[in-house]
Amino acid sequence: MIVKAIYENNLLKPQEKLNLKEGEEVDIEIKSRGIFGLLKDWKLDSQSLKDELRETDG
């Protein structure tokens, strides 16, 4: 199960209902959504990126 959560006041707050029993133990993998985390595995060809930007800019 993958669930989005927000970290507030030292707690992770799920953004949807979890189908868990009270006291059930789970493993949690944290993946930050910061821009550098999103881009770190991208492989970009600089020329094709420039071409795409020109097309969207007009």
Side-chain angles (χ1 to χ4, degrees):
M1 167 184 347
I2 296 175
V3 177
K4 290 185 181 185
I6 294 177
Y7 183 73
E8 287 182 347
N9 298 320
N10 214 26
L11 295 172
L12 282 172
K13 297 182 179 183
Q15 298 302 291
E16 60 190 72
K17 180 146 176 59
L18 301 178
N19 188 21
L20 298 171
K21 296 176 186 167
E22 188 68 30
E24 187 172 347
E25 187 173 315
V26 298
D27 294 325
I28 297 175
E29 180 179 348
I30 307 291
K31 293 185 178 183
S32 179
R33 298 265 180 189
I35 187 70
F36 294 110
L38 289 173
L39 295 176
K40 82 173 185 177
D41 292 328
W42 283 18
K43 292 177 177 56
L44 296 174
D45 171 27
S46 60
Q47 186 57 52
S48 61
L49 180 58
K50 289 177 191 175
D51 294 342
E52 289 286 331
L53 291 172
R54 277 191 200 101
E55 286 179 22
T56 55
D57 193 32

